[in-house]
Amino acid sequence: MERLNVLKTYKIYIGGKFPRTESGRFYTPLNKKGEQLGHICLSSRKDVRNSVVAARKAFGGWSERAAFNRGQILYRIAEMLEGRKSQFIEELIFQGSTKAQAEKEVNLSIDRMVYYAGWCDKYTQVLGSINPVASSHFNFSMHVPQGVIGVIAENSTSLIGLVSLVAPIIAGGNTCIVVASKELPLCAITFAEVLNSSDVPGGVVNILTGESKEMIKPLTEHMDVNGMIYGGSNKKIVQQLRESAALNLKRIQTYDEDWMKEDAQNLYMISDCQEVKTTWHPIENIGGATSSY
Amino acid sequence: MKKNKKITWDYSPAPESAAHINLKKKYVLYIDGKWVKPSSGKYFKTINPANNETLAEIAYANEKDVDKAIKAARKAYDTVWSKTTPSERAKYIYRIARLMQERAREFAVIETLDAGKVIRESRDIDIPLACNHFFYYAGWADKLEYAFPNRKVEPVGVAGQITPWNFPLLMAAWKIAPALATGNTVVLKPAETTPLTALKLAEIIHDAGLPPGVVNIVTGYGDTGAAIVEHDDVDKIAFTGSTRVGKIIQKTIAGTDKKATLELGGKSANIILEDAPLDQAVEGIVNGIFFNQGHVCCAGSRLFIQESVAEKVIDKLKHRLNSLIIGDPMDKNTDIGAVNSKMQLDSINKYIKIGLEEGATMYQPECTLPKNGYYCPPTLFTDVAQSSTIVQEEIFGPVLTIQTFRTVDEAIQKANNTPYGLAAGIWTDKGSRIFNLATKLNAGVIWANTYNKFDPTSPFGGFKESGFGREGGLHGLSAYVKLK
């Protein structure tokens, strides 16, 4: 007798836990063949708010972790992705990718995670400065994370678009709330499972599925969100983000990129989610001694 | 007869002379390398807030004038400035810096007359820093590829710049110098109460032989600024001013591709720990809040003192307040000059009234204020809470709120409990404590055992609702470039 498959219940990811949406709602996206992808959570405003709370709570600990440790954790994500490679490929194919496309997307996602893992303990060195002020002070500038970042993933990919945005955000010590692709949500949730088993503290990345139209507003208008990242080119969304940023001066970054390109990754995507902090301290200068002999 | 006669130790007056300055009665707009009358035909007066006397009449630019200025900037960008080699660009900016240095004394006097700030500050801080800013950015013009590893650096295009009245020339320098160094052209609108030094700067720019249209100065009120923000052919807006206006600008440009940097308000914490050198800390508190009459976006307007030393510090502070000299900004001994305008004085007095109504205890030293002009004595408020209006909102005047704390953690939480994030001060003798606080305070500038220090090499700008982008230093270049 043929064995009956165990189907997976796709959930959302908030504060390191996998609840279904508090609203109890769901939707059933179809693939090109008309097959149902699953009963996917149609997340609500309340889910957005819960995610922001979780992300804020996680921010202090994540941002103050040693950069080296963040790098290790990002590398661990890559390891876990590698281990689950076949599952991601299957999901991508089920959602409509060809096998070659799917393999490329997963490989690229893994490599991208490794790329940003390496940046964790280097970007402040490259981007920071010691400023030679004219007065008797020691003065330096370094990059520090912005805080809680809202992410609107680009709609036409399931994994690479999401990984390309999330990796630089968390590499830089931020926490985030991700609105996943509505039509291609499967890899986003499986990616959450990867995060959950990679020593990424709960709340650092929160992933919601559903109608982005419904979630963008409460996310961008949330007063405890410091920045928004959008990985697509929909002009209406760009304007909506920029307008609601006027509420609390959120930092808005939008990228119109082909994330499947190998070079769609760089240092500046990390600095886009950073603030420059400059510190001054006086240098005692009393006697006449100099540093020459 | 002579009994009980109080001996006073007043300083003799030491007034700076205004005899050597060159001020016209009427100023028109500087567009496309020419001085042109406003198409509105309207002028407004700029006054000396120290005595309410009119200094000059200033052209009021309307939309048409702004359009003309932006067209001139676009033309200059397309035909001249983008084709000027970086090293030549640098030499123009160096030349401007030198011409400013040569006329520094004139600039200092005019700044004091127009803004009400004391001559000691405009002479020793505003003007030298403005000159140095041009000198610093001049050198970047032909070295930009070193600032952005792995990227090709391109200018943004035409920059619309709107500056505030608290540091008129310095803010103009902060905006114009990096914009030119990175190859942009500029339309700048100075604040309506303090337009003179920007117009004098236009004279220098003209003398320096900068190609026509590369820098245009249009004067006017908020609607003039709005016309710049709303203009279709501006690529970048740089604004320094209130958070309220900053939010309006952000909203206005939301549907466009315009880049923006916003340098907005603040309510910065100045934290005194028990092991701090207290006399130095008191000087730091005074400099933090009374520098430039408290018209400073990064003013240390919320003082936090560790409980064990609170009484002592407050006593010392009150004593120090009594030796501050308040009065004529042109006197070289004056510590606190005139409030910039009647409107600003009204606003400060409104907050003082709210403070009293909400039950806070006020302290002001005994002092006689000049009869004419706008003045506010240095003011302390104790018995305030985190929720007090005067603790929450930016007053932009010489008004300090004082709170206490027991532990470092409590200080961090209280200091960060604000929508702003511009600056913070830390006073302690312990290095490890400084680094702990400096890491955890959410502010763009941290002053440890010092306050209100500025330098062209040092990036300035805030977190959260204090705006975005940096001005100054290597990081200040980002605001005016596109990376390819």
Side-chain angles (χ1 to χ4, degrees):
Chain A
M1 208 171 83
E2 202 183 327
R3 184 181 167 272
L4 187 66
N5 277 344
V6 178
L7 292 176
K8 174 167 156 183
T9 307
Y10 284 95
K11 301 186 175 185
I12 52 180
Y13 188 50
I14 302 176
K17 295 196 166 56
F18 290 92
R20 288 285 285 184
T21 164
E22 64 79 40
S23 67
R25 304 176 307 169
F26 67 95
Y27 69 108
T28 45
L30 308 175
N31 66 12
K32 282 175 195 155
K33 290 182 200 154
E35 296 162 317
Q36 287 189 0
L37 297 183
H39 294 136
I40 308 298
C41 289
L42 190 60
S43 305
S44 66
R45 282 179 301 173
K46 176 72 173 148
D47 293 317
V48 169
R49 292 201 294 268
N50 290 344
S51 304
V52 174
V53 171
R56 174 60 63 192
K57 204 172 154 197
F59 174 63
W62 183 243
S63 62
E64 284 167 27
R65 247 169 216 263
F68 179 74
N69 182 237
R70 280 208 306 272
Q72 286 190 311
I73 291 175
L74 261 75
Y75 187 76
R76 179 76 179 155
I77 299 173
E79 288 179 349
M80 294 293 105
L81 274 171
E82 186 82 41
R84 294 246 210 158
K85 207 166 150 177
S86 57
Q87 185 185 353
F88 281 107
I89 292 170
E90 264 174 43
E91 282 177 347
L92 284 169
I93 292 171
F94 185 44
Q95 290 178 125
S97 299
T98 64
K99 186 156 186 281
Q101 280 169 343
E103 274 175 1
K104 188 183 171 201
E105 183 168 347
V106 176
N107 286 338
L108 207 51
S109 300
I110 298 166
D111 293 351
R112 192 148 292 168
M113 198 49 90
V114 172
Y115 173 81
Y116 283 109
W119 267 126
C120 288
D121 52 4
K122 296 167 193 71
Y123 68 90
T124 50
Q125 292 182 303
V126 179
L127 298 171
S129 62
I130 290 172
N131 310 308
V133 295
S135 53
S136 183
H137 292 89
F138 186 74
N139 175 303
F140 61 96
S141 296
M142 66 180 286
H143 280 62
V144 299
Q146 281 170 0
V148 174
I149 309 291
V151 182
I152 315 295
E154 176 263 340
N155 233 343
S156 65
T157 65
S158 188
L159 183 65
I160 187 69
L162 190 151
V163 167
S164 300
L165 298 181
V166 168
I169 290 172
I170 62 174
N174 301 283
T175 59
C176 61
I177 301 100
V178 184
V179 175
S181 165
K182 186 191 170 199
E183 306 303 327
L184 311 169
L186 301 188
C187 295
I189 297 307
T190 307
F191 181 62
E193 292 159 17
V194 164
L195 295 172
N196 195 252
S197 56
S198 307
D199 299 327
V200 180
V204 170
V205 181
N206 304 275
I207 299 179
L208 303 176
T209 52
E211 189 62 74
S212 64
K213 270 187 218 147
E214 217 181 335
M215 287 183 278
I216 289 175
K217 195 171 146 65
L219 193 52
T220 43
E221 293 184 359
H222 201 295
M223 296 299 272
D224 206 24
V225 172
N226 299 97
M228 291 293 301
I229 297 280
Y230 172 49
S233 57
N234 183 320
K235 283 226 161 68
K236 266 191 183 161
I237 294 180
V238 172
Q239 178 164 3
Q240 191 185 356
L241 294 186
R242 286 170 136 230
E243 261 175 23
S244 52
L247 281 173
N248 67 343
L249 293 160
K250 280 186 191 70
R251 282 66 172 139
I252 307 292
Q253 292 293 339
T254 60
Y255 306 104
D256 189 4
E257 286 267 0
D258 175 3
W259 301 111
M260 289 292 279
K261 271 174 37 193
E262 286 190 16
D263 62 352
Q265 55 186 26
N266 60 66
L267 168 67
Y268 299 98
M269 285 192 66
I270 298 177
S271 63
D272 283 344
C273 292
Q274 301 281 310
E275 296 286 346
V276 177
K277 181 186 269 191
T278 299
T279 304
W280 294 67
H281 196 280
I283 300 171
E284 187 178 73
N285 189 2
I286 298 172
T290 65
S291 49
S292 53
Y293 291 102
Chain B
M1 291 287 266
K2 279 188 175 178
K3 70 176 177 178
N4 291 338
K5 190 187 174 198
K6 214 169 144 188
I7 302 171
T8 54
W9 297 93
D10 287 337
Y11 284 77
S12 301
E16 168 64 283
S17 162
H20 58 95
I21 62 163
N22 246 319
L23 267 190
K24 291 188 270 192
K25 284 213 169 80
K26 206 173 207 177
Y27 279 92
V28 292
L29 310 169
Y30 185 66
I31 297 174
D32 206 13
K34 290 184 278 292
W35 293 97
V36 295
K37 288 182 179 163
S39 61
S40 66
K42 284 191 204 159
Y43 291 83
F44 61 93
K45 285 175 182 166
T46 184
I47 60 135
N48 179 349
N51 56 23
N52 220 355
E53 283 168 16
T54 300
L55 294 165
E57 290 202 359
I58 309 292
Y60 192 160
N62 63 13
E63 272 177 43
K64 256 191 194 164
D65 299 311
V66 166
D67 182 59
K68 215 187 238 168
I70 290 169
K71 283 201 172 112
R74 174 63 61 195
K75 197 179 113 216
Y77 178 76
D78 288 341
T79 60
V80 185
W81 201 234
S82 60
K83 297 189 169 72
T84 307
T85 61
S87 56
E88 290 299 300
R89 267 197 338 250
K91 278 154 61 186
Y92 277 117
I93 305 167
Y94 277 126
R95 196 188 261 191
I96 293 169
R98 277 293 195 243
L99 288 170
M100 287 171 76
Q101 285 175 327
E102 286 166 10
R103 289 171 66 175
R105 186 167 170 212
E106 183 189 19
F107 269 103
V109 169
I110 294 175
E111 198 74 303
T112 285
L113 293 176
D114 205 16
K117 65 170 63 208
V118 297
I119 188 72
R120 179 169 53 80
E121 289 174 9
S122 43
R123 182 195 62 200
D124 296 346
I125 299 167
D126 289 62
I127 309 305
L129 274 178
C131 302
N132 297 356
H133 220 80
F134 276 98
F135 203 87
Y136 172 76
Y137 275 109
W140 266 124
D142 55 0
K143 301 167 189 71
L144 294 171
E145 65 272 27
Y146 293 96
F148 301 97
N150 231 359
R151 283 289 178 274
K152 212 178 139 239
V153 184
E154 287 177 5
V156 177
V158 175
Q161 308 182 321
I162 300 166
T163 49
W165 46 259
N166 57 343
F167 295 94
L169 182 70
L170 183 58
M171 291 302 108
W174 278 24
K175 300 240 171 330
I176 296 174
L180 295 185
T182 46
N184 301 275
T185 57
V186 164
V187 175
L188 177 123
K189 186 201 92 73
E192 60 269 21
T193 61
T194 56
L196 289 177
T197 43
L199 291 162
K200 296 300 284 185
L201 178 61
E203 289 177 5
I204 279 182
I205 284 169
H206 194 82
D207 292 348
L210 198 70
V214 173
V215 173
N216 306 273
I217 311 278
V218 291
T219 43
Y221 281 75
D223 54 341
T224 312
I228 296 176
V229 173
E230 287 162 14
H231 199 286
D232 287 339
D233 206 24
V234 170
D235 300 300
K236 193 228 152 62
I237 299 296
F239 171 78
T240 299
S242 71
T243 293
R244 189 184 62 84
V245 175
K247 288 178 177 178
I248 295 171
I249 291 175
Q250 170 72 23
K251 199 153 194 176
T252 308
I253 63 170
T256 72
D257 290 331
K258 286 174 199 168
K259 279 182 67 145
T261 39
L262 304 172
E263 203 75 77
L264 309 176
K267 194 73 186 173
S268 299
N270 202 358
I271 302 169
I272 317 296
L273 292 127
E274 59 189 0
D275 66 334
L278 295 185
D279 289 318
Q280 284 176 38
V282 168
E283 289 309 306
I285 296 166
V286 167
N287 182 43
I289 184 63
F290 302 125
F291 174 54
N292 199 30
Q293 295 70 248
H295 303 326
V296 184
C297 47
C298 52
S301 53
R302 289 185 299 148
L303 179 63
F304 293 95
I305 316 174
Q306 198 153 21
E307 257 180 27
S308 48
V309 292
E311 208 175 315
K312 205 168 159 188
V313 170
I314 293 170
D315 281 349
K316 280 175 184 283
L317 186 58
K318 285 179 177 171
H319 181 74
R320 182 69 179 89
L321 252 57
N322 280 285
S323 62
L324 290 175
I325 302 171
I326 302 136
D328 182 8
M330 283 287 272
D331 193 306
K332 291 167 197 162
N333 289 323
T334 304
D335 296 306
I336 300 183
V339 169
N340 187 266
S341 65
K342 178 171 188 304
M343 207 169 90
Q344 189 54 27
L345 182 60
D346 289 346
S347 168
I348 296 168
N349 285 333
K350 182 195 81 185
Y351 276 112
I352 289 178
K353 195 162 160 262
I354 291 172
L356 292 169
E357 280 167 3
E358 288 184 359
T361 306
M362 184 175 78
Y363 177 83
Q364 291 177 328
E366 276 182 39
C367 55
T368 33
L369 303 177
K371 287 214 173 58
N372 295 319
Y374 311 114
Y375 292 89
C376 178
T379 305
L380 308 179
F381 274 107
T382 48
D383 302 317
V384 294
Q386 285 290 87
S387 57
S388 305
T389 306
I390 53 171
V391 171
Q392 293 272 317
E393 295 181 16
E394 182 176 39
I395 299 173
F396 225 64
V399 181
L400 179 69
T401 62
I402 304 176
Q403 294 170 268
T404 60
F405 64 92
R406 278 191 190 169
T407 63
V408 170
D409 284 359
E410 187 188 347
I412 291 167
Q413 280 179 0
K414 283 182 166 171
N416 282 341
N417 184 0
T418 165
Y420 295 114
L422 195 45
I426 305 164
W427 295 84
T428 167
D429 246 359
K430 201 171 172 194
S432 58
R433 193 170 280 165
I434 289 172
F435 281 111
N436 178 36
L437 279 148
T439 305
K440 289 173 185 164
L441 291 171
N442 290 323
V445 183
I446 307 285
W447 283 297
N449 292 323
T450 184
Y451 207 97
N452 272 342
K453 291 283 179 287
F454 308 93
D455 192 276
T457 66
S458 177
F460 183 90
F463 291 14
K464 302 196 284 182
E465 295 196 21
S466 291
F468 41 71
R470 293 292 176 270
E471 294 186 303
L474 182 156
H475 301 93
L477 294 168
S478 307
Y480 292 98
V481 296
K482 280 190 292 198
L483 301 181
K484 291 271 160 102

